[in-house]
Amino acid sequence: METTKKTIIVFSGDLDKVLAAFVIANGAAAMGDDVTMFFTFWGLNTLRRPEKVKAKKSFLQAMFGGMMPRGVDKLGLSKMNFGGMGAKMMKIVMRQQNIASLPDLIQTAREQGIKMIACTMSMDVMGIREEELMDGLEYAGVATYLGEADEANVNLFI
Amino acid sequence: METTKKTIIVFSGDLDKVLAAFVIANGAAAMGDDVTMFFTFWGLNTLRRPEKVKAKKSFLQAMFGGMMPRGVDKLGLSKMNFGGMGAKMMKIVMRQQNIASLPDLIQTAREQGIKMIACTMSMDVMGIREEELMDGLEYAGVATYLGEADEANVNLFI
Amino acid sequence: METTKKTIIVFSGDLDKVLAAFVIANGAAAMGDDVTMFFTFWGLNTLRRPEKVKAKKSFLQAMFGGMMPRGVDKLGLSKMNFGGMGAKMMKIVMRQQNIASLPDLIQTAREQGIKMIACTMSMDVMGIREEELMDGLEYAGVATYLGEADEANVNLFI
């Protein structure tokens, strides 16, 4: 069987959508595929370190960044979030059902060698700096994404 | 002309997005393609029976399930829903314009042999049981989706 | 290198998502690809002329249309829009960072010969008439989209 490639653009920063992205990515990697995840806009929040990091920003960027969730534990649901209650409920149900949590899925993605790229243009728009993001990422723009997508047989925008 | 395959992940449970998914799916099937729709997370609400069904659930699952829409007639819009008024308005306009309703589109999808798969992992997360969903579905996980997607030339996430 | 084709369904009318769509589309066109953008549902608002245009509509269509944003300058963010403040902030940050604005991106798309198709069925559903949309568009339905997607190697739903 030949290796095939998959790409996923993670635009959303909603817990449920990011979960779906990592479940698909890990599933594909487990079946031997090369997988590239490209994080843009709100999706970048998934990659943020939970602690506050000092970074040089304009006033508006700092304001925007301060209001956005820092890291996987802060993500909300796209529906029925109820100020975070919905996300909390979903995480409890997942634990009860022995379903891997998002931090576990991200850990698995790293172990499986899934390429995680942070979109540099989105970082400028959202005012997010490299030092605020987790280790082990690549940094690139749309041309890199398109190059990967051209080699892939499944390309999703989530 | 060779038959090609299309897959659509229906993640959203918004009336407008589910409509778009079924219009594309039915269009492709009408042109002779194999089509697989994979329902995950909120998309599962599209497949729920309208009546309340007794099912064994944990407290949180029951609570979550009780708040989610049961079936196509209860889906809202992704924008401008106004507590259901937007969805109602859209349905009236569609009737005036002789555009097929969502229940009609689902019926057509079945008649055209479109494969409708309910994602079992999402069912666990959302606390939705088989007995709550319509007849004629298949039940599977991400590996089945990826197998179908590998054979398809168009794969969408909606 | 052979020319490849890309299609993007622009379902969303959120500024951030429409920005992502045009960045990808322009990037692909700059690399020599044929690109087709297919605007459906809320995505049609991107193409609306900013001025009010007289058009024959049913009462509900007029009501719906009147509440929807007219053109790129009125689009909001999918998150943290705060009644338009979020969109305004994002536009200021983009200008500070010398990132092309949405109107610039649309202009570039036209200059690069990107095919922009307005979905006629969605126009009926949303009550949007040809005379309300910008010049230089094509008008077609799902069969045209599917024909284009069959020839493309990357197909996204945004």
Side-chain angles (χ1 to χ4, degrees):
Chain A
M1 206 186 80
E2 89 192 288
T3 300
T4 53
K5 185 180 270 204
K6 311 273 178 281
T7 74
I8 300 176
I9 295 179
V10 184
F11 175 95
S12 168
D14 297 319
L15 175 64
D16 41 352
K17 291 197 171 177
V18 176
L19 271 173
F22 274 98
V23 167
I24 296 168
N26 279 328
M31 290 161 81
D33 289 347
D34 279 339
V35 181
T36 297
M37 302 178 81
F38 192 79
F39 294 82
T40 67
F41 286 84
W42 317 97
L44 290 168
N45 292 328
T46 313
L47 308 177
R48 288 178 92 186
R49 297 175 188 280
E51 71 274 13
K52 201 164 159 31
V53 176
K54 241 190 146 87
K56 216 174 141 268
K57 300 189 184 189
S58 76
F59 174 72
L60 279 182
Q61 286 179 324
M63 209 172 126
F64 224 70
M67 289 186 296
M68 290 193 302
R70 269 202 296 271
V72 287
D73 287 336
K74 300 286 168 39
L75 303 183
L77 296 184
S78 63
K79 299 266 163 192
M80 292 176 36
N81 193 45
F82 307 120
M85 268 304 296
K88 208 163 282 184
M89 278 171 60
M90 186 175 280
K91 284 186 252 187
I92 296 174
V93 171
M94 286 172 67
R95 203 153 47 221
Q96 290 173 343
Q97 301 283 329
N98 287 316
I99 297 169
S101 69
L102 184 51
D104 290 345
L105 288 168
I106 295 176
Q107 182 57 29
T108 304
R110 289 165 166 292
E111 287 166 10
Q112 292 199 107
I114 290 175
K115 199 190 284 186
M116 292 167 65
I117 301 178
C119 169
T120 46
M121 192 205 86
S122 301
M123 288 173 65
D124 286 343
V125 175
M126 313 297 271
I128 293 179
R129 297 276 172 269
E130 277 196 34
E131 52 266 38
E132 296 178 79
L133 300 182
M134 56 171 68
D135 293 326
L137 304 177
E138 298 185 23
Y139 294 87
V142 68
T144 299
Y145 164 71
L146 287 164
E148 302 265 352
D150 268 336
E151 294 171 5
N153 69 339
V154 176
N155 299 293
L156 303 175
F157 183 99
I158 295 184
Chain B
M1 204 187 81
E2 85 191 294
T3 298
T4 51
K5 184 179 271 203
K6 311 275 177 281
T7 74
I8 300 177
I9 295 180
V10 185
F11 175 95
S12 168
D14 296 321
L15 175 64
D16 42 352
K17 291 198 172 176
V18 176
L19 271 171
F22 274 98
V23 168
I24 297 167
N26 280 328
M31 290 162 81
D33 289 348
D34 279 338
V35 181
T36 297
M37 301 178 82
F38 192 80
F39 294 82
T40 67
F41 285 84
W42 316 97
L44 291 167
N45 292 328
T46 312
L47 308 176
R48 287 178 91 184
R49 297 174 188 282
E51 71 273 15
K52 201 167 160 28
V53 176
K54 243 191 144 88
K56 214 173 143 271
K57 300 188 184 188
S58 75
F59 174 74
L60 279 181
Q61 285 180 324
M63 208 170 127
F64 224 70
M67 289 186 295
M68 290 193 303
R70 269 202 294 272
V72 287
D73 288 335
K74 301 285 168 42
L75 303 184
L77 296 184
S78 63
K79 299 266 164 192
M80 292 178 34
N81 192 46
F82 306 122
M85 268 304 295
K88 208 163 281 182
M89 279 171 61
M90 186 174 280
K91 283 186 251 187
I92 295 174
V93 172
M94 287 173 66
R95 202 152 48 221
Q96 291 172 342
Q97 302 282 330
N98 288 315
I99 297 169
S101 69
L102 184 51
D104 290 346
L105 288 168
I106 295 176
Q107 181 57 29
T108 304
R110 289 166 166 291
E111 287 165 11
Q112 291 199 108
I114 289 174
K115 199 190 284 187
M116 293 166 66
I117 301 178
C119 169
T120 46
M121 192 205 84
S122 301
M123 290 172 63
D124 286 342
V125 174
M126 312 297 270
I128 293 178
R129 297 275 172 270
E130 278 196 34
E131 52 266 37
E132 296 178 79
L133 299 183
M134 55 170 69
D135 294 327
L137 303 177
E138 298 185 24
Y139 294 88
V142 68
T144 300
Y145 163 71
L146 287 164
E148 303 265 351
D150 267 337
E151 294 171 6
N153 70 338
V154 177
N155 300 293
L156 302 174
F157 182 99
I158 295 185
Chain C
M1 204 187 81
E2 87 192 291
T3 298
T4 52
K5 184 179 271 204
K6 310 273 178 283
T7 75
I8 300 177
I9 295 179
V10 184
F11 175 95
S12 169
D14 296 321
L15 175 64
D16 41 353
K17 290 197 173 179
V18 176
L19 271 172
F22 275 97
V23 168
I24 296 168
N26 279 329
M31 290 161 82
D33 290 346
D34 280 338
V35 181
T36 297
M37 300 178 83
F38 191 80
F39 293 82
T40 68
F41 285 84
W42 316 97
L44 290 168
N45 291 328
T46 312
L47 308 176
R48 289 178 90 185
R49 295 175 189 283
E51 71 273 15
K52 200 166 161 29
V53 176
K54 244 190 142 86
K56 217 175 140 266
K57 300 190 183 188
S58 75
F59 174 74
L60 279 181
Q61 286 180 324
M63 207 170 128
F64 224 71
M67 288 185 296
M68 290 192 303
R70 269 202 296 273
V72 287
D73 287 336
K74 300 286 167 42
L75 303 183
L77 296 184
S78 63
K79 299 266 162 190
M80 292 177 34
N81 192 44
F82 307 121
M85 268 304 296
K88 208 162 281 182
M89 279 171 61
M90 187 174 279
K91 283 185 252 189
I92 296 174
V93 172
M94 286 171 69
R95 202 153 47 222
Q96 291 173 342
Q97 302 282 329
N98 288 315
I99 296 169
S101 68
L102 184 51
D104 290 345
L105 288 168
I106 295 176
Q107 182 58 28
T108 304
R110 289 165 165 293
E111 288 165 12
Q112 291 199 107
I114 289 175
K115 199 190 285 185
M116 291 166 65
I117 302 177
C119 169
T120 47
M121 192 204 85
S122 301
M123 289 172 65
D124 286 343
V125 174
M126 311 298 270
I128 293 178
R129 298 275 171 270
E130 277 196 33
E131 52 267 37
E132 296 178 80
L133 300 183
M134 55 170 70
D135 293 326
L137 304 177
E138 298 184 25
Y139 294 88
V142 67
T144 300
Y145 163 70
L146 288 163
E148 302 265 352
D150 267 337
E151 293 171 5
N153 70 338
V154 177
N155 299 293
L156 302 176
F157 183 99
I158 295 184

